[in-house]
Each structure stands twice: as C-alpha cells, then as structure tokens.
Amino acid sequence: MLIVLGIAEALTIHSSRLVLGLTTTAFFILYGAGLGFVAVRGLWKARRWSRGPTVFTQLIQLLVAYSVWNGGARTIAVVLAVLALVILVCMFQKASTEALIGGGSNDHPVL
C-alpha cells in the first residue's frame, strides 16, 4: 500500500514543491519495499528481527489514523485503526510470540 501511495505522490508532483514531492515519493516507496522485505523474509520465516519493524509500523499507523480522524476522514481513520489493532493483536498472540521470540532455529513458515 505504501508503494502505491508513493506512486500516487509521484504522479502529483508540482514544480512548486518538487523536492518535497520527490523525497515523499522516495520515502513511501522505500518504506513499502522495506515492509515487504520484513513480511516476506522476516515474518514468513519467523525471524526474530521482524517483530520490531512490524509493531513499530502498526503504532505509526495508529497515529496516522488519529491524524486522519482529526482531519475529517473518519471512515478511513477507522479502517486504518482497525487494521493496525488486528495486526498488533496477531503479533502479540501466544503462538506468534513463541514463534518470533522463542527458541529454536525458526526456519519454518508459520503464517
């Protein structure tokens, strides 16, 4: 989703805000690619390091939802908040915690 947002930002760049548009585009595309890497390489293989970026991103998404709520787009804010909370609950379930923090080699897919 962040990559799509980056592409959408790239399509709306104006000469009056060229630097801001380019840096925002690069940020969203790189952050989206990084999260894709975390999901594919980290969570799928139950790597211990993948939990931190996942939780951090969901906490950021809750803050974004709060900001969107204050901006008037309440339906979007609710969707963002619910998705973030569902993912956080999944990340802190006992099975996820054991797979991501527990012992063992964690070389098997769990999702």
Side-chain angles (χ1 to χ4, degrees), residues 2-105:
L2 288 172
I3 294 174
V4 172
L5 188 57
I7 293 169
E9 177 68 26
L11 295 174
T12 61
I13 293 176
H14 298 289
S15 61
S16 62
R17 58 178 200 95
L18 181 63
V19 174
L20 178 64
L22 290 175
T23 55
T24 303
T25 298
F27 172 77
F28 283 131
I29 290 175
L30 292 173
Y31 193 39
L35 287 177
F37 176 78
V38 167
V40 171
R41 189 80 171 149
L43 290 176
W44 184 257
K45 292 188 176 187
R47 301 290 186 199
R48 202 175 280 189
W49 58 265
S50 64
R51 185 176 186 166
T54 303
V55 170
F56 177 74
T57 298
Q58 299 318 306
L59 294 175
I60 294 288
Q61 185 167 323
L62 284 173
L63 293 173
V64 169
Y66 177 75
S67 175
V68 170
W69 178 273
N70 289 336
R74 297 188 180 226
T75 303
I76 294 171
V78 169
V79 169
L80 289 172
V82 167
L83 287 173
L85 290 172
V86 166
I87 292 170
L88 285 170
V89 166
C90 290
M91 289 302 297
F92 289 108
Q93 283 185 338
K94 185 178 180 180
S96 297
T97 301
E98 287 175 357
L100 295 170
I101 294 179
S105 65

